[in-house]
Amino acid sequence: DDPNTVYVLNTWKSKDDYIKFKETAALKDKMNEAGVSEAPTFLYLNKLEGSTYVDNKITAIIYHEIEDYTKWKRTFDDFERTRKEFKEVSYEVGSINGDPNWIYVLNQWESLADYNAFIEDAKLKEAMKKAGVIGKPVFLVFSPKEKG
């Protein structure tokens, strides 16, 4: 909820294009010009599966480290009914920066209240533990300021 924290979500034609972009001097110059004071975190999201993105819904991402993808995925799939009870509209699952033990879930929800109820529910915490989530997951809600 910090207005000084900005997330930029881009779609790339290839991982090579992404790598070239994030290492350009022009990007560093623009970030300095914009007042970026800390080193940015770059996450390359590699979609493994998911449903279609739906406009005008609440979009959130949860990412975390896991012990084993097969174990995690089985628990994620078993948890679908619960996600739907909390009015999940769509989802996308993928790895981060090519590491199979770093996973993201991009979900869409009918409302922010539905999303908040989902992430606060004890069943989610239990499922994450059963799935082998390591450490504390990161939960973010996207509030787009512009698209292009």
Side-chain angles (χ1 to χ4, degrees):
D1 290 333
D2 181 353
N4 294 317
T5 299
V6 176
Y7 297 91
V8 178
L9 186 61
N10 291 320
T11 303
W12 300 98
K13 290 181 182 177
S14 72
K15 188 172 183 178
D16 287 341
D17 288 344
Y18 157 77
I19 291 169
K20 286 177 193 172
F21 173 78
K22 78 175 200 162
E23 294 175 353
T24 63
L27 175 61
K28 291 175 187 163
D29 291 344
K30 285 293 182 187
M31 288 179 16
N32 285 333
E33 186 180 307
V36 175
S37 59
E38 296 180 24
T41 300
F42 290 93
L43 303 175
Y44 181 76
L45 306 179
N46 181 38
K47 182 178 179 177
L48 301 174
E49 70 170 66
S51 47
T52 305
Y53 183 83
V54 180
D55 284 333
N56 302 318
K57 299 295 178 190
I58 299 298
T59 302
I61 190 169
I62 303 169
Y63 67 92
H64 47 71
E65 188 175 12
I66 58 172
E67 295 169 357
D68 173 74
Y69 180 77
T70 302
K71 174 182 175 182
W72 177 87
K73 183 64 168 72
R74 186 174 34 249
T75 304
F76 177 81
D77 290 344
D78 290 347
F79 205 60
E80 180 178 17
R81 181 182 211 155
T82 302
R83 296 192 326 264
K84 298 302 179 195
E85 287 172 8
F86 282 94
K87 300 181 184 156
E88 177 193 60
V89 175
S90 70
Y91 78 91
E92 175 180 313
V93 170
S95 62
I96 299 174
N97 297 333
D99 185 340
N101 290 330
W102 275 94
I103 296 296
Y104 74 89
V105 180
L106 186 76
N107 306 84
Q108 290 190 289
W109 305 90
E110 284 294 333
S111 71
L112 186 57
D114 294 333
Y115 167 76
N116 285 330
F118 174 74
I119 66 168
E120 306 265 332
D121 193 83
K123 289 183 264 185
L124 175 61
K125 292 169 184 62
E126 291 169 22
M128 288 181 142
K129 185 176 181 178
K130 178 182 175 186
V133 171
I134 300 170
K136 185 176 178 181
V138 175
F139 296 87
L140 302 172
V141 175
F142 295 115
S143 298
K145 302 297 182 202
E146 66 178 74
K147 291 182 179 184

